[in-house]
Amino acid sequence: MQFVGKLIGFFLGYKLLGGFFGGILGVIAGHWADKKLYELGSVKSSFFGKKLTRQSLFTQTTFAVMGHLAKAKGRVTEQDIQLARQLMSRLQLDSQAQQQAQQAFTLGKEADFPIRQVISEFREACGQRQDLLRFFVEVQMQVALQDGQLDQSEQRILFTIAETLGISRPQFEQMIAMVMAAQRFRSGYYQQEFEQAYQQQSQGGYSGGGYRQPSRPSLDDAYSVLGVTASDEQNTVKRAYRKLMNEHHPDKLVAKGLPPEMMEVAKEKAQQIQAAYDLICKAKGWK
């Protein structure tokens, strides 16, 4: 029902501002009203026990699944708890949201955690918006891969999540490969300040004594980040890049239910996509 504001806006604009162009202005105003009502609208969650905003449900579901993934390896380690705390800190959650996140993480550790039910309700609350759902899965994949490996229990849970959200096995496998490549790419050497420092070292101008050149990001990883291959033509690579940038646009994701606190996570992902594309273009000599 996100068209109600547009209809009302067109009617009021047509009547009050006069004519068709007034109606168009009303539609624009109604569109922003629809977006805001959607963001602030409440959704049902039988698991979390109360009505929540879509953004609050996104955050709580994220931390509940994190707890479930941590427990899947047998026991929750101090590293798992620290990782959850780091994410809370990174998202700059206020005290109430942090408490809710901690409670959700604890609930996720329970042996009877109803993963399919929780994810099904999450999917319904998100209006089955595929870019938002894929972003959620990517976040969980990143969490599971923080220790550098993905065991069978973690992979099984991740696929259960993906399958419940309507993501096929081939799509899931490609997403795993893309996330793993993105993590390797992120740890690579691509920032201009490092290049400048290396140039100073090679020219004898760096006197820090302990500087060592970081490893550069792999071109193969750059292709994997975009989900393309080295043999793909420029137009194919460009389409993949534009599609991913559109799917990971922070403002668009927030409008669809992503908590504003997670904008930095979305921005970082978009930066990785941009950096991967730039590296491919540079290697290929594309403009």
Side-chain angles (χ1 to χ4, degrees):
M1 296 293 289
Q2 291 188 62
F3 55 85
V4 175
K6 299 180 185 67
L7 288 176
I8 295 175
F10 179 81
F11 177 78
L12 292 177
Y14 188 89
K15 290 291 185 181
L16 299 178
L17 300 177
F20 179 75
F21 289 106
I24 294 299
L25 291 175
V27 168
I28 295 172
H31 170 70
W32 286 106
D34 282 336
K35 284 179 62 178
K36 185 55 62 177
L37 286 172
Y38 175 81
E39 292 173 25
L40 299 177
S42 62
V43 293
K44 295 180 181 179
S45 173
S46 62
F47 180 74
F48 294 109
K50 57 184 177 181
K51 287 188 175 182
L52 306 165
T53 64
R54 288 177 176 83
Q55 294 172 342
S56 178
L57 180 62
F58 192 104
T59 300
Q60 293 194 51
T61 304
T62 295
F63 282 95
V65 174
M66 283 182 65
H68 192 58
L69 281 168
K71 186 66 174 179
K73 294 176 291 187
R75 68 182 184 88
V76 179
T77 65
E78 183 59 36
Q79 182 182 7
D80 295 322
I81 296 172
Q82 187 63 28
L83 179 62
R85 288 174 179 166
Q86 288 174 355
L87 182 57
M88 292 178 201
S89 176
R90 183 180 180 190
L91 299 179
Q92 298 181 339
L93 301 180
D94 59 32
S95 57
Q96 181 181 0
Q98 195 169 108
Q99 184 178 12
Q100 291 174 342
Q102 291 170 343
Q103 291 173 348
F105 186 85
T106 300
L107 289 171
K109 295 188 298 181
E110 298 296 328
D112 58 350
F113 178 67
I115 181 70
R116 287 190 181 274
Q117 173 193 331
V118 170
I119 297 302
S120 293
E121 291 181 351
F122 174 73
R123 180 183 183 182
E124 183 178 352
C126 290
Q128 302 191 37
R129 287 167 169 77
Q130 286 302 310
D131 44 1
L132 185 62
L133 299 178
R134 286 176 66 90
F135 183 81
F136 174 84
V137 176
E138 288 174 359
V139 169
Q140 298 301 335
M141 288 178 174
Q142 291 171 16
V143 168
L145 286 164
Q146 282 297 315
D147 59 359
Q149 58 185 3
L150 188 68
D151 62 30
Q152 290 184 348
S153 60
E154 290 174 316
Q155 187 169 348
R156 185 169 58 252
I157 290 172
L158 288 173
F159 180 66
T160 296
I161 295 169
E163 184 182 41
T164 307
L165 293 179
I167 298 171
S168 67
R169 170 64 77 170
Q171 290 174 322
F172 172 77
E173 298 291 351
Q174 185 183 38
M175 287 179 70
I176 284 283
M178 291 170 72
V179 169
M180 292 177 69
Q183 289 199 329
R184 292 193 300 269
F185 193 86
R186 181 178 56 188
S187 63
Y189 166 65
Y190 194 73
Q191 298 180 14
Q192 184 176 0
E193 55 265 33
F194 284 112
E195 290 184 346
Q196 292 173 344
Y198 178 66
Q199 289 171 1
Q200 288 179 335
Q201 180 197 30
S202 63
Q203 295 168 4
Y206 183 77
S207 58
Y211 182 81
R212 186 174 60 182
Q213 180 191 12
S215 60
R216 289 180 179 273
S218 164
L219 186 58
D220 289 337
D221 286 337
Y223 287 121
S224 296
V225 168
L226 301 187
V228 297
T229 66
S231 61
D232 285 329
E233 297 180 352
Q234 183 175 3
N235 286 339
T236 301
V237 175
K238 184 179 290 187
R239 281 196 300 270
Y241 157 72
R242 288 178 174 173
K243 180 175 182 292
L244 287 172
M245 289 296 285
N246 183 59
E247 289 176 351
H248 293 84
H249 192 288
D251 292 332
K252 291 182 179 180
L253 289 172
V254 169
K256 294 176 181 180
L258 183 73
E261 296 86 0
M262 285 199 172
M263 280 193 70
E264 288 304 316
V265 179
K267 286 179 181 178
E268 181 179 309
K269 179 65 178 180
Q271 288 168 355
Q272 291 172 11
I273 295 167
Q274 182 67 62
Y277 181 68
D278 289 344
L279 183 60
I280 292 171
C281 288
K282 184 177 180 181
K284 292 280 192 177
W286 293 341
K287 300 295 184 180

